[in-house]
């Protein structure tokens, strides 16, 4: 998986790089603040729309960085008001983000890569493998586009999960730079505790994440309570073992004081039996972690099914019996291809 071999977009510049650029263009320092405000506060990334800039500066920025990193390509809305937006990138690839409204929160699910090298068997993003890392600007622009969509719906984004296309630990520096920008008072100022980064468990990445001691939440996409089953569902050889993940969760708690979340996609007849629930419960003992169960959204062409509500309830009851904190994400977006990567996959198929 590589970084994008493209000319950087304006949104890819860090604040200090923008300051330098503005100085090199012979402009007073406050102009950098104006450009930054357009991007980080208003979500405007095309210089031609930055109307308070003097024409010569605007023209120069148009020459250097004419277009935003993302072009809106389409959307779909589920009956439960979950919305998925599809964006076209400068190199013609696609990426998608999801807006998930709930009574007390509005969550945005962001992508960190185009495609995904992890190749989880149940996931549309893994079907074509990993293609490239998203840039900081591409990740940040997703957030701003989703914020705008939320505002149009009379809502404000309250939470982020980096759980869309891609494995964020494979694109660590761009993901963290984008989240820091989203968290910054000079930008959207979204609380760090409302931001979750979800990983299948990539050794160096998880250690780096813990060492940074940021108050972002670390979530492990576990999907199975033992290595044998997990390897069938999450085939990436370099992913951490279940025992290593548990150890990393404990270390993260000890070093940062932050509890970890475990994500578990429930696949009918694969990982949703009472025996697996009991094994999972034993694994959670002493971790203080919370568990997020996600009954599967079927992907056309893949052989997995959603479990019955009764089986989900039984799984929950077994975990709760061990005092595990459990939440279930029910039916969000099941009728809009909301499993990550499905919309992008469909669009690429249409283009062929
Ligand atoms: S579920 Fe996440 S980690 Fe697994 S293939 Fe899909 S995008 Fe990658």
């Amino acid at each position: 998986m590589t970084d994008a071999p493209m000319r950087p977009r304006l949104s890819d510049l860090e604040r200090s790089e923008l300051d330098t650029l503005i100085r090199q263009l012979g402009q007073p320092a406050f102009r950098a603040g104006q450009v930054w405000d357009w991007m980080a506060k208003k979500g405007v990334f095309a210089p031609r729309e930055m109307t308070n800039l003097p024409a010569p500066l605007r023209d120069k920025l148009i020459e250097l960085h004419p277009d935003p990193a993302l072009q809106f390509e389409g959307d779909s809305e589920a009956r439960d008001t979950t919305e998925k937006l599809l964006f076209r990138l400068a190199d013609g690839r696609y990426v998608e983000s999801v807006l998930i409204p709930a009574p007390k929160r509005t969550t945005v699910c962001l992508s960190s890569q185009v495609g995904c090298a992890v190749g989880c068997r149940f996931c549309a993003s893994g079907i074509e493998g990993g293609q490239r890392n998203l840039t900081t600007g591409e990740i940040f622009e997703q957030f701003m586009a989703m914020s705008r969509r939320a505002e149009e719906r009379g809502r404000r984004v309250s939470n982020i999960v980096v759980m869309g296309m891609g494995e964020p630990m494979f694109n660590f520096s761009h993901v963290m730079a984008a989240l820091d920008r989203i968290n910054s008072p000079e930008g959207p100022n979204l609380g760090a505790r409302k931001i979750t980064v979800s990983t299948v468990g990539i050794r160096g990445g998880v250690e780096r994440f813990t060492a940074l001691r940021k108050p972002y939440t670390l979530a492990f996409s576990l999907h199975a309570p033992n290595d044998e089953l997990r390897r069938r569902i999450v085939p990436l050889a370099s992913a951490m073992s279940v025992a290593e993940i548990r150890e990393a969760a404990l270390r993260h708690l000890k070093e940062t004081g932050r509890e970890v979340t475990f994500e578990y996609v429930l696949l009918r007849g694969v990982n949703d039996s009472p025996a697996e629930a009991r094994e999972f419960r034993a694994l959670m003992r002493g971790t203080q972690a919370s568990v997020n169960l996600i009954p599967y959204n079927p992907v056309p062409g893949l052989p997995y099914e959603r479990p019955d509500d009764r089986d989900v309830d039984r799984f929950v009851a077994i975990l709760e019996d061990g005092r595990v904190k459990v939440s279930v994400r029910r039916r969000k977006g099941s009728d809009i291809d909301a499993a990550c990567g499905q919309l992008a996959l469909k669009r690429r198929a249409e283009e062929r």
Side-chain angles (χ1 to χ4, degrees), residues 213-349:
R213 293 171 181 270
K214 300 244 182 210
Y216 304 143
T217 299
L218 175 62
F220 285 106
S221 296
L222 195 71
H223 312 320
N226 61 64
D227 288 325
E228 199 209 329
L229 179 56
R230 191 163 193 260
R231 270 194 294 271
R232 278 195 269 140
I233 300 172
V234 184
L236 186 78
S238 60
M240 293 156 76
S241 69
V242 170
E244 284 175 313
I245 287 176
R246 187 176 185 282
E247 261 172 47
L250 289 170
R251 199 176 321 118
H252 190 77
L253 177 66
K254 189 167 164 228
E255 290 184 18
T256 67
R258 303 275 299 145
E259 290 165 16
V260 162
T261 301
F262 283 84
E263 315 273 358
Y264 193 108
V265 170
L266 284 166
L267 306 162
R268 182 186 198 148
V270 176
N271 63 356
D272 63 342
S273 74
E276 276 124 16
R278 283 192 290 273
E279 205 177 348
F280 191 18
R281 180 178 67 190
L283 198 68
M284 291 295 98
R285 198 168 294 138
T287 63
Q288 296 181 36
S290 37
V291 168
N292 190 9
L293 294 177
I294 308 161
Y296 183 58
N297 286 323
V299 175
L302 296 184
Y304 298 102
E305 292 172 40
R306 187 185 190 92
D308 294 335
D309 284 351
R310 207 189 44 214
D311 294 337
V312 175
D313 292 343
R314 185 182 57 190
F315 204 94
V316 171
I318 292 171
L319 289 175
E320 285 183 338
D321 201 35
R323 303 223 173 124
V324 179
K325 290 164 274 179
V326 189
S327 62
V328 184
R329 199 186 307 160
R330 288 191 196 265
R331 303 222 174 270
K332 285 283 176 203
S334 54
D335 53 333
I336 58 155
D337 306 330
C340 63
Q342 270 175 269
L343 214 55
L345 197 67
K346 207 187 246 179
R347 178 56 59 96
R348 282 196 299 280

Side-chain angles (χ1 to χ4, degrees), residues 113 115-127 163-168 198-200 221 223 233-235 265 340-341:
Q113 297 181 304
C116 185
V118 176
C120 298
R121 296 284 185 233
F122 56 82
C123 171
S125 295
I127 288 176
M163 202 189 173
M165 296 170 78
E167 163 52 60
S198 177
T199 175
V200 294
S221 296
H223 312 320
I233 300 172
V234 184
V265 170
C340 63

